[in-house]
Amino acid sequence: MTLKPIALVAGMTFASVAMADDTATVQNFYDLLSNPTSQDHVAAFEASITDDWESVGDYSGDNKTREGFLGQIGGFGQLVPDLNWAVEAMHQDGNFVTVRSRATGTPVGPMFGVDGEGRSFDIMTIDIHELEDGKIARSYHVEDWAGALGQLSGR
């Protein structure tokens, strides 16, 4: 009888280690967002995703591939050199990791057609990362870009 509780605790410890590994993998995504021009962060991101990873931001079916995403993020790094994407909460449930984060920055030029005249933005983002075999296969995301534009325009 005493072996069953020990096996249960050992199984829980193993499951906790596996979850910790998945959240560390997902953290690489946010490290890249905060350091989009760093080749080390690009490499860590690429090692954390599947070959056919997709960034899903809406229901248009026009999902971004790794290359498209890295191009977009590289552009953000130039436009918002102080971009910071801070994880505020991360929760794992099976193969899904949900993240609430805070994106802040000060664009050095017009962003989405709005010249912020030196203003900064501070927005909430929500992402759900779907993992397969310990790598991110899809990232579903919603950012409050409307809020960012309001802040940049002084509203």
Side-chain angles (χ1 to χ4, degrees):
M1 290 279 187
T2 54
L3 292 179
K4 287 182 183 180
I6 291 171
L8 178 62
V9 169
M12 288 174 24
T13 301
F14 177 74
S16 297
V17 170
M19 284 185 156
D21 289 346
D22 287 343
T23 57
T25 297
V26 170
Q27 183 63 50
N28 288 330
F29 181 89
Y30 298 92
D31 293 345
L32 170 67
L33 292 176
S34 291
N35 302 282
T37 60
S38 163
Q39 289 307 306
D40 290 340
H41 288 94
V42 169
F45 166 74
E46 288 179 326
S48 298
I49 62 172
T50 62
D51 291 339
D52 59 348
W53 173 84
E54 292 182 294
S55 171
V56 182
D58 58 35
Y59 289 117
S60 70
D62 189 24
N63 302 335
K64 284 191 178 53
T65 63
R66 168 194 324 226
E67 293 77 20
F69 179 76
L70 287 172
Q72 179 186 30
I73 293 304
F76 264 79
Q78 293 175 359
L79 179 61
V80 188
D82 66 342
L83 182 63
N84 184 47
W85 219 285
V87 170
E88 296 198 329
M90 187 180 300
H91 304 281
Q92 182 165 2
D93 185 11
N95 290 333
F96 292 90
V97 176
T98 303
V99 178
R100 177 178 50 85
S101 58
R102 184 177 210 155
T104 60
T106 307
V108 295
M111 184 170 174
F112 303 123
V114 174
D115 184 356
E117 301 175 1
R119 292 182 189 95
S120 300
F121 63 85
D122 183 350
I123 62 171
M124 181 188 298
T125 73
I126 304 290
D127 304 305
I128 302 170
H129 302 278
E130 185 175 359
L131 290 102
E132 293 175 0
D133 298 322
K135 291 191 173 194
I136 306 169
R138 271 165 297 291
S139 297
Y140 304 90
H141 56 94
V142 177
E143 302 88 15
D144 181 18
W145 292 121
L149 295 178
Q151 293 168 36
L152 295 174
S153 67
R155 291 189 233 145

